[in-house]
Amino acid sequence: MKKQICSLILGALVASLVFYSCSRQQEPAMVIPANTTAKQGTSSAATLAALDLMSGNPILPPFTADPDILYANGRYYIYTTANGPTVNEFHAYSSADLLNWVDDGVVFNLNNVSWSHADGWAPCVVARNGQYYFYFTASKKIGVAVGASPTGPFTDIGAPLATGLGTDPIDPMAFIDTDGQAYLYWGNTTLNIQKLNSDMVSLTGTRSNAKPSNYFEAPYVIKRNGIYYLMYSVNDYRNNDYHVEYATATSPMGPWTVKGRITAPNGNILGPGHNAVITRPGCSSEYYFVYHRRTSTNVNERQVAIDRMFFDAAGNIMPVNITTSGVIGITGSAPCTSPTPVANGIYAIRSKVNTSSGQGLYLDIPACGTGNADVRTWTRTNCNGQRWALTYQGNGFYKIISQQPNHKSLDLDACKLAVGTNIQVWDQLNNDCQLWRIEDAGGGWYRILAKASGNVMDLANGDPTPGADIRSWSWNGSDAQLFRFEAAP
């Protein structure tokens, strides 16, 4: 019904047209994936290599869907709906840094299952008892196979683990609670929840069918601060508005209170749904949201992507910013990232690029103007046009407001999302074009990323001349894209 065969076709990353609502005229433009475009005016090998510092979405080359993610032995593993002649071959893809993914090949084949050889959908893998348990859908039943490593080989237990209520008992997800009790969630339109025995291959206890009112499929559960978060997809996957919502409970079996929406189509990025979530090991507040989406009119040409997920101060999941740039690379040695690496306050924002005589260059409103204007660079002055108030908004992003008397907001010109869009100050508006993520790049330097486009603040062509343009660009790791926040009186 929902999963169709996904051909293993290598494809180029697809740029996305993204439209936002602004109070002024918009000029929708192409957003170029950050790992596919070199910085204009540069051609050095170092700059081109730096383009790989962002994962880029989609992250896997083939058309595939329904991802689950696991961290084990220093690597991240993504498992997706099967491909092959009868949708029978499950692959694993792995990465050490969320940037560079390799196909580990077929880790489980339904040809080796006695009770089904087709329609392998939506796997979930968990580690326990020194083993890895591979839960999967086949012929609209839930199975489980066991292996000694994240890439198997996995051996089926010889019979379906569960069918469950509802016409499509699919999409298994295993969750191990902090008290050690494991649960299995599954089902399309009907949500089935039941405890797993400690052997992880048999069910026990009473089955619950408590579900949020708008639940459709693809359950995924995490626990945070004693609260259970059930994420699930809404609408048929062929619907352009296939998306993820969530509900919360104080018990892993419900009842569930509907909280809100996590994803939405973004321009020509359609159907962002069927998700999994992982926290970076050792970084309990650093959440990564893995999901599938498509830009094709062919509803089966879905692709896997990854973006950051944040909670607000009240514990609500904030809507995920759907991007083409993806996430910054991480390794086990990299420090945990914080959504608030810079304290609220008033700062002068200095570029890592200096003038030819060694003077600092700062974000500046030309001629200390008070109207809407492009932002450029200048050497340090006492003008309020070089003083910026940072205020964290509780959703992973800051507002950056000029301290000129009219307090204009740092803004993407006309809400344009293309690489090369000018950065300006404009009347304060309630839109994503005036929200900025600040990420620690090390050594006291930061990159400043626009929520609306996923591109970063950039000194045009690395120009060391005062008065050079400040624009947005795809991330390439150059000094022109690094900034420091200096205390300003």
Side-chain angles (χ1 to χ4, degrees), residues 11-228:
L13 294 177
V14 184
S16 54
L17 290 168
V18 188
F19 300 90
Y20 280 82
S21 174
C22 296
S23 65
R24 56 196 188 278
Q25 183 179 2
Q26 304 173 41
E27 297 180 34
M30 191 71 72
V31 178
I32 301 176
N35 63 347
T36 61
T37 304
K39 187 173 185 292
Q40 184 178 19
T42 66
S43 59
S44 72
T47 297
L48 294 175
L51 294 174
D52 289 330
L53 295 176
M54 288 291 288
S55 62
N57 281 326
I59 56 173
L60 304 182
F63 295 126
T64 190
D66 310 323
D68 186 44
I69 188 166
L70 170 76
Y71 182 82
N73 305 324
R75 293 187 71 80
Y76 297 88
Y77 293 86
I78 288 179
Y79 307 86
T80 61
T81 273
N83 53 36
T86 61
V87 197
N88 60 320
E89 298 174 348
F90 288 97
H91 284 245
Y93 304 86
S94 66
S95 172
D97 55 12
L98 298 180
L99 300 185
N100 304 290
W101 293 89
V102 296
D103 185 351
D104 292 315
V106 177
V107 298
F108 184 59
N109 195 318
L110 293 181
N111 287 342
N112 300 320
V113 174
S114 60
W115 51 271
S116 175
H117 301 309
D119 295 335
W121 301 338
C124 168
V125 181
V126 297
R128 197 172 202 185
N129 306 325
Q131 302 285 325
Y132 293 86
Y133 297 88
F134 187 100
Y135 299 88
F136 61 96
T137 304
S139 300
K140 297 186 180 179
K141 298 181 179 65
I142 305 303
V144 59
V146 185
S149 84
T151 55
F154 295 99
T155 302
D156 179 62
I157 63 171
L161 171 61
T163 54
L165 299 178
T167 56
D168 287 304
I170 59 175
D171 295 353
M173 187 270 168
F175 165 73
I176 303 174
D177 204 349
T178 49
D179 64 1
Q181 178 61 60
Y183 298 82
L184 190 69
Y185 300 76
W186 74 99
N188 171 289
T189 67
T190 298
L191 175 59
N192 301 278
I193 310 172
Q194 194 167 354
K195 290 181 179 179
L196 282 158
N197 284 312
S198 59
D199 64 8
M200 300 297 286
V201 296
S202 60
L203 297 167
T204 186
T206 302
R207 184 174 299 171
S208 169
N209 297 115
K211 68 173 185 177
S213 57
N214 47 351
Y215 171 89
F216 188 74
E217 65 183 10
Y220 197 90
V221 173
I222 64 172
K223 185 179 184 181
R224 180 179 184 270
N225 297 335
I227 300 297
Y228 299 88

Side-chain angles (χ1 to χ4, degrees), residues 140-354:
K140 297 186 180 179
K141 298 181 179 65
I142 305 303
V144 59
V146 185
S149 84
T151 55
F154 295 99
T155 302
D156 179 62
I157 63 171
L161 171 61
T163 54
L165 299 178
T167 56
D168 287 304
I170 59 175
D171 295 353
M173 187 270 168
F175 165 73
I176 303 174
D177 204 349
T178 49
D179 64 1
Q181 178 61 60
Y183 298 82
L184 190 69
Y185 300 76
W186 74 99
N188 171 289
T189 67
T190 298
L191 175 59
N192 301 278
I193 310 172
Q194 194 167 354
K195 290 181 179 179
L196 282 158
N197 284 312
S198 59
D199 64 8
M200 300 297 286
V201 296
S202 60
L203 297 167
T204 186
T206 302
R207 184 174 299 171
S208 169
N209 297 115
K211 68 173 185 177
S213 57
N214 47 351
Y215 171 89
F216 188 74
E217 65 183 10
Y220 197 90
V221 173
I222 64 172
K223 185 179 184 181
R224 180 179 184 270
N225 297 335
I227 300 297
Y228 299 88
Y229 293 77
L230 169 66
M231 289 164 266
Y232 50 91
S233 293
V234 177
N235 294 324
D236 185 280
Y237 83 102
R238 291 162 289 200
N239 189 308
N240 288 349
D241 193 30
Y242 186 68
H243 65 273
V244 178
E245 298 183 10
Y246 81 104
T248 60
T250 56
S251 162
M253 300 186 78
W256 304 97
T257 300
V258 173
K259 299 295 289 185
R261 185 165 177 150
I262 298 176
T263 67
N266 194 351
N268 73 330
I269 301 175
L270 306 174
H274 199 118
N275 75 287
V277 172
I278 195 168
T279 55
R280 182 178 164 197
C283 302
S284 59
S285 63
E286 195 170 326
Y287 292 85
Y288 293 85
F289 186 89
V290 183
Y291 61 104
H292 73 235
R293 65 199 207 175
R294 61 182 170 85
T295 53
S296 172
T297 56
N298 183 337
V299 296
N300 295 314
E301 291 185 349
R302 295 164 291 171
Q303 295 180 291
V304 173
I306 182 169
D307 281 302
R308 289 291 301 275
M309 186 178 86
F310 294 91
F311 291 81
D312 67 15
N316 301 306
I317 298 175
M318 303 301 298
V320 167
N321 187 32
I322 303 299
T323 74
T324 56
S325 56
V327 298
I328 195 167
I330 60 172
T331 62
S333 61
C336 297
T337 63
S338 167
T340 56
V342 180
N344 289 350
I346 297 175
Y347 298 90
I349 303 176
R350 179 175 180 168
S351 170
K352 195 172 181 181
V353 174
N354 293 325

